[in-house]
Amino acid sequence: MSLYRPRARPKASVYDAAYTGAPNWDIGRPQSAFVRLEEAGLIEDPVLDAGCGTGELACFLARRGHRVLGVDLSTLAVRQAREKARWRRIDARFLVWDALQLERLATAGFSFRTVVDSGLFHVLGPAERDRLADGLAAVLEPGGLYAVLGDARHPDREFYGVTPGEFADRFPERSGWERIFAVETTFERRWGGSPAFFVGLRRRE
């Protein structure tokens, strides 16, 4: 029996505190899995970076010519992302926004062909994962791609991390989703890395 129990997602102030320094997950560049995805031509505009942090992935995609909006719960992270984009002369937009309220973006008229998720889904509890899935269904255009990178789940943890099977359950074909890839990879960190899964899910036309 696992002793691990899911806790509520940290509040914005907790993330703000993390970004006063250099969090281990903020490696100063995009995760390699997303670089390869872009180089393969699988990212279409417009792009939403859900849980963008300090904006390295969003800035990379914008520099490659994509129209990108990055959203994050942390005001400090978004401030740093905007500063990066300004100093690098990159046309990327950033917004302080709860990624569990993507349906509100849809109500405001936003829609996206690609949603990238570098380390958001894997920290959420079960109910929050369901909320994110519902929001993605609202904001992602038919034919659009949700690409998510997350730590592989350890056997002694009940919820943290991801498994390919969970995505099949939370994004089922009967609800209009199609899994187009699921590969084992590494979630890179400033100090080392961890086994991870990179999964791509497409909304059916």
Side-chain angles (χ1 to χ4, degrees), residues 46-141:
V47 182
L48 174 67
D49 184 355
C52 64
T54 64
E56 288 294 343
L57 176 54
C59 284
F60 164 76
L61 294 174
R63 178 166 280 166
R64 298 281 290 189
H66 297 285
R67 292 180 289 121
V68 187
L69 172 65
V71 299
D72 201 280
L73 194 64
S74 168
T75 300
L76 181 56
V78 169
R79 184 184 308 150
Q80 293 176 10
R82 289 170 176 164
E83 290 173 355
K84 285 181 182 180
R86 183 174 67 253
W87 284 106
R88 298 176 189 178
R89 298 184 179 180
I90 295 172
D91 185 17
R93 295 178 298 158
F94 297 96
L95 184 64
V96 178
W97 195 272
D98 187 348
L100 299 188
Q101 297 183 9
L102 295 183
E103 68 282 351
R104 290 179 56 201
L105 283 180
T107 300
F110 288 86
S111 64
F112 302 91
R113 289 293 298 175
T114 308
V115 177
V116 291
D117 174 345
S118 184
L120 171 63
F121 188 93
H122 76 175
V123 302
L124 300 177
E128 293 169 329
R129 296 182 186 204
D130 288 338
R131 287 180 62 190
L132 180 60
D134 290 342
L136 288 165
V139 81
L140 194 60
E141 297 176 1

Side-chain angles (χ1 to χ4, degrees), residues 10-37:
K11 296 183 182 297
S13 59
V14 176
Y15 288 112
D16 283 341
Y19 285 112
T20 59
N24 196 23
W25 64 82
D26 190 350
I27 60 175
R29 55 182 170 80
Q31 293 282 331
S32 296
F34 289 102
V35 174
R36 292 192 293 269
L37 188 73

